[in-house]
Amino acid sequence: MKILAFAGSTSSTSINRELVKFVLKDFQNEDIHLIDLNDFDMPVFSVDREKKGFPEEAHNFLKAIEESDVIICSLAEHNRSYSSAFKNVFDWASRINVKVFQDKPMFLMSTSPGGYGGGNVMNTAKTFFPQFAADIKDTFSMPKFYENFDLESGVINPEMLKELKDKIENFKNQIKN
């Protein structure tokens, strides 16, 4: 099984990337392709720019999805929505193929330093991603990242760790069928 994994952030210290990397430890026997949104840097989407053609990076993002069997991602929340970097990649890709996520099973996550755990971006994504052909199998939001996560150990809150591990198993069971 080929897993495409990414954080919806371009930060070099992305906490969402750390969450993705932690979850990927439960998929060590799989073919993992962890991408960095910095590799998909494009001009800000506009219809005027679209008339000049699509950036190669947008095609590359769609190709990475196409070549995967499942998607694991954790979205950063900026001002209660997607980060501008993710939104731009998403906007360009959706103009090439409205089925951006190509009906791939997805484990969707979010985390933030605050008490809502990226809940706003999660709620938005749960509503809109299926309209772009995301097959969201399960979700996980983790509030107060710095209180509940250690860079060496991962999730240190026992209740959250159990919830996450249960959701990972649920996701694995769903994608087996």
Side-chain angles (χ1 to χ4, degrees), residues 111-152:
T111 189
S112 73
Y116 200 47
N120 291 302
V121 72
M122 175 63 77
N123 289 334
T124 300
K126 286 191 313 191
T127 300
F128 291 108
F129 278 16
Q131 296 174 32
F132 294 88
D135 183 12
I136 301 171
K137 297 295 188 185
D138 215 332
T139 64
F140 176 76
S141 289
M142 186 172 67
K144 300 181 180 180
F145 179 83
Y146 296 105
E147 293 177 29
N148 294 308
F149 195 95
D150 176 81
L151 292 178
E152 290 183 23

Side-chain angles (χ1 to χ4, degrees), residues 30-42:
E30 305 300 337
D31 181 7
I32 296 170
H33 186 201
L34 178 61
I35 61 173
D36 185 334
L37 287 189
N38 285 299
D39 295 333
F40 300 90
D41 190 27
M42 297 175 260

Side-chain angles (χ1 to χ4, degrees), residues 3-18 20-21 24 32-42 56-58 60-62 64-65 71-76 83 85-90:
I3 297 172
L4 176 66
F6 63 92
S9 170
T10 54
S11 171
S12 64
T13 58
S14 170
I15 60 177
N16 283 279
R17 180 179 263 287
E18 293 301 326
V20 168
K21 290 185 336 190
L24 289 175
I32 296 170
H33 186 201
L34 178 61
I35 61 173
D36 185 334
L37 287 189
N38 285 299
D39 295 333
F40 300 90
D41 190 27
M42 297 175 260
E56 175 115 8
E57 294 86 353
N60 292 343
F61 184 74
L62 288 167
I65 293 172
I71 300 168
I72 296 174
C73 72
S74 187
L75 297 172
S83 70
F86 173 76
K87 181 72 166 79
N88 195 51
V89 171
F90 181 76

